[in-house]
Amino acid sequence: MGVLLINIRKQGENERLSELREDETRSLLRTLSLEISFSVTYTVKEINTSTYIGTGQAENAAECIKAFDAEEAVINTFISPRQEKNLETILGVPVSDREAVILSIFFQNAHSREARLQIEKAEAEYLRPRLQNREANLSQQRGGVRGAKGEGERKIELERRLIDQRIRSLEREISEVQAIRETKRKERGRNGIFSFALTGYTNAGKSTILNTLTKAGVLAEDKLFATLDTTTRALKLPNSQKVLLSDTVGFISDLPEVLIEAFSSTLEEALSADALIIVADASHPDAYGCLKKTKETLSELGALDKVKILVINKTDDVYDEIAYAALKTEPYTIVETSMKEGEGIKELLNAMAAVTDESFMDITVTEAIGSDIINRLSRDGAIRTISYSEDSVTVTARIRKELAAKYKRDQQLVPFD
């Protein structure tokens, strides 16, 4: 399907940032396998409440659609239902804004039950205020006693009630799924398993890193939002510590709030992880700006203090040396990688091991023969050694420091070097 891409540049806006936003929109459309027939850029001094762009600009866009035989128009900003309706009237083709494009990608790429439920809810919330547009061809109001409503208006109200009911139903289902996920997460915590979450801008290479470290087989494409569902895999670090590593949905500039909420399950994985690894893309034209956006989002989520490692990925294709140098000044453990060249993998694993070393300790516990100390330490950590005497068993294990305290009561606890 041929698409007319309408780029918006606000008057006085930095030209480079405008171009980056256009490139990002092109990548979004490429993810949907949509072909851009032609693109046009309009500078907007003041937003038109009826059509967002000016009337003259809208008429010019209509001429472009006819000239290039486009079947749809995409405007790379957010527009209201009213603006969408008026633009469709002028352009004569369906109009989608940035939110609709991202929503379509999320729907296409979500696979888990919770993700599908969340995206259906977001889609319903997006559609509800646009019902009036869909029924514009029906009679909206007819005369009669007390202003009896016409067929079109009655149908809209019915659909709105159905959508509201569906949204409430989806919210209940989502709560049930989240409760199950929370139970599993608490179980992981009780088992003393340390967890890392990969986070960062979309297409920075998080899925590739997960695949490289764990052989997870997660889809890794040069497309925005290729990963939507959280994938978690077990990994053994060089210090023999077993950990969980999760891949999360990437951030993007101007992501609608409704879509952030739609994938709260993925973002909650970052909130619940013991430590975060931010992945920055050194090949991105605005690499440092992407990092700032990631940090801002994590700060809003209350998870910025969990960031321990910054992976500067794609160092084989650095775009901006100044931004690259700025990334290396961040107050985290810096690991430079190129998954394409297989570089930095060992350094990343060692950095992760160092993080766990700060949270774990080796302990030695001696109890009478017949006690369940082996089972308890196996549940809370990793058994190092087991030795028996005539009437006792001595177990050395590596466990979280906060769990070690519970073994002090009525037991012999000796740090093990």
Side-chain angles (χ1 to χ4, degrees), residues 197 199-200 251 267 270-279 288 290-310 330-333:
T199 186
F251 301 121
L267 299 178
L271 285 172
S272 66
D274 294 296
L276 299 183
I277 302 172
I278 293 181
V279 181
Y288 196 71
C290 291
L291 174 64
K292 287 177 61 179
K293 178 64 181 178
T294 298
K295 291 173 65 176
E296 287 170 6
T297 305
L298 290 174
S299 179
E300 291 172 3
L301 293 169
L304 186 59
D305 61 335
K306 292 188 176 184
V307 178
K308 302 298 181 183
I309 301 170
L310 171 61
E330 286 293 306
Y332 309 113
T333 298

Side-chain angles (χ1 to χ4, degrees), residues 40-107:
V40 60
T41 300
Y42 297 125
T43 299
V44 176
K45 180 179 180 180
E46 185 176 325
I47 296 174
N48 186 305
T49 56
S50 296
T51 54
Y52 195 97
I53 56 179
T55 303
Q57 293 171 330
E59 292 173 350
N60 175 260
E63 293 175 2
C64 292
I65 285 174
K66 291 179 181 178
F68 292 92
D69 197 27
E71 300 172 88
E72 182 180 355
V74 172
I75 183 168
N76 71 341
T77 189
F78 304 114
I79 59 176
S80 69
R82 179 186 176 213
Q83 291 167 336
E84 177 186 301
K85 175 186 175 182
N86 292 336
L87 277 176
E88 287 182 343
T89 299
I90 296 172
L91 303 184
V93 296
V95 174
S96 298
D97 66 356
R98 181 182 175 86
E99 184 170 353
V101 171
I102 296 175
L103 191 61
S104 295
I105 294 172
F106 276 23
F107 184 83

